[in-house]
Each structure stands twice: as C-alpha cells, then as structure tokens.
Amino acid sequence: MLLQETLTAYQKRDPAARGKLEIFLLYAGVHATVYYRIAHWLHRHQLCFPARCISQWARFWTGIEIHPGATIGRRLVIDHGAGIVIGETTEIGDDVLLYQGVTLGGTGKDVGKRHPTLGNNVMVGSGARVLGPITIHDNARIAAGAVVLQDVPANATAVGVPAQIVRINGERVRRYADEVDQTSVVNPTLQKIEALTKRVEELEKILQEAENSKEN
C-alpha cells in the first residue's frame, strides 16, 4: 500500500513519468525510499549495524543518504535526488517533496533531537539546507539554495542565506506545494544590498559635489 501510494504521488508530480512500472524500476528516489523502509524497520528493532549497511548501500546505489533512524511519512517524493542527505533525528510528514541536493542536517555534535522536522505538504527546493532542530510547518516552501536556520510558519515561503520569510498566507496553498513557482520570489538579502549600494552611490555623489564647490 505504501509503495502504491508513493508511485501514484510520483506520477502526479513528475510530468516526465510515463507509468508506475517505469517509476518503480528507474527512479532513484523510489529505490532510496524502499531501502530506507527496510533499514528503518531494522533500526527500530535495535539491529543498527545491518540497518546502516543497507542505508550505506542505498547511498552508493542512489546517491541519496537517509539515516535509518529518520522518521518519514507517507508519499515522500524525491525529485532526481542526487546529493540528498537526511539526518538521524529528522522527521518528515506526509506528501513532502524534496529536490536534488537538499540537506536536512544538524548544526554540530549535539545529542538528542538535532535535525529538522518537516510538516505535511512541505516543499524543499534544489540545494537548500535546513539545519538544526527546527520545524518547517505544514504547506511551507523553501526556495532553491536557501539556508534555513529558524522555524518556518505554515503556508510560508522562505528564501535566501540565511533564509527569511517572504510570503505567508499570500496565496492559498493547493493540494501539492510544488504547484507554487519556487523561483519567482525576491531575495530580501539582495534587496538590502541593492539599497545599500544605491545609498553609497548617493553619498559619493554628494561628497563629489561638495569637493567641486570648494574648488570653485
């Protein structure tokens, strides 16, 4: 049942998918999830070494590293998946979409809960880093390349390094979070840099005019 749900989710989210058989045989994200389910079962039954062996084999085979101690909900979709890392205490809800290069990691050598929690219907864009025991609430979207170090509210969009909230409840989130364009957002950090650059240019102009007045 879980596998059937996952294959259906891939079909709905990937326009290149031609059928469930193709997805099952050829999609690395599906393979990584299947390996994870086996490794997670072993890990829960204190068979940690074989669990880690399976997870490392899956990493070698798929390029996706999921620690067997992570908790993952239903219908996870991993798009392409190369370079994805999911840490030991990560918790992922249902209907989550992860793009390639995503890291759900820790910030150091702390013990206990040290990896993020993702709610339901969360999307994390390509190359994003979500670090530490923070919570990304339901229907949130993390833009490509963002570095998230603080909680993200429900229905919010976070972009930038470090990530900042640029939209919350600004648009009703539909059934799948990936229907929202993750690239058509403004980076607030770049806006601040542009504003500072403009201000410096204005001050330089004022200084130059003052010097010219003294010379005259």
Side-chain angles (χ1 to χ4, degrees), residues 40-93:
H40 183 64
W41 185 90
L42 293 170
H43 189 271
R44 285 194 298 110
H45 289 81
Q46 306 303 314
L47 299 171
C48 296
F49 182 77
R52 287 291 285 169
C53 287
I54 291 173
S55 69
Q56 290 303 301
W57 166 253
R59 176 189 179 188
F60 169 78
W61 184 252
T62 66
I64 300 167
E65 181 174 353
I66 306 176
H67 194 286
T71 302
I72 297 177
R74 306 169 80 96
R75 297 176 296 277
L76 171 67
V77 172
I78 298 174
D79 192 290
H80 296 291
I84 282 181
V85 177
I86 299 175
E88 180 182 10
T89 60
T90 300
E91 299 176 48
I92 298 177

Side-chain angles (χ1 to χ4, degrees), residues 113-124:
K113 176 64 172 168
R114 59 191 187 280
H115 298 99
T117 296
L118 275 60
N120 298 325
N121 199 36
V122 169
M123 184 208 73
V124 186

Side-chain angles (χ1 to χ4, degrees), residues 126-199:
S126 303
R129 306 288 187 262
V130 185
L131 306 176
I134 61 177
T135 300
I136 312 301
H137 291 273
D138 294 352
N139 305 315
R141 297 170 300 285
I142 309 302
V147 177
V148 186
L149 303 174
Q150 297 180 337
D151 291 357
V152 176
N155 305 306
T157 300
V159 306
V161 182
Q164 299 180 51
I165 306 302
V166 296
R167 190 179 304 156
I168 182 167
N169 293 321
E171 179 178 354
R172 181 176 176 82
V173 179
R174 295 179 290 274
R175 183 177 178 186
Y176 290 113
D178 50 304
E179 293 174 358
V180 179
D181 183 1
Q182 62 170 314
T183 59
S184 300
V185 290
V186 178
N187 189 328
T189 303
L190 292 179
Q191 285 185 315
K192 291 179 181 179
I193 292 174
E194 290 174 359
L196 289 172
T197 301
K198 184 177 180 180
R199 181 58 177 163

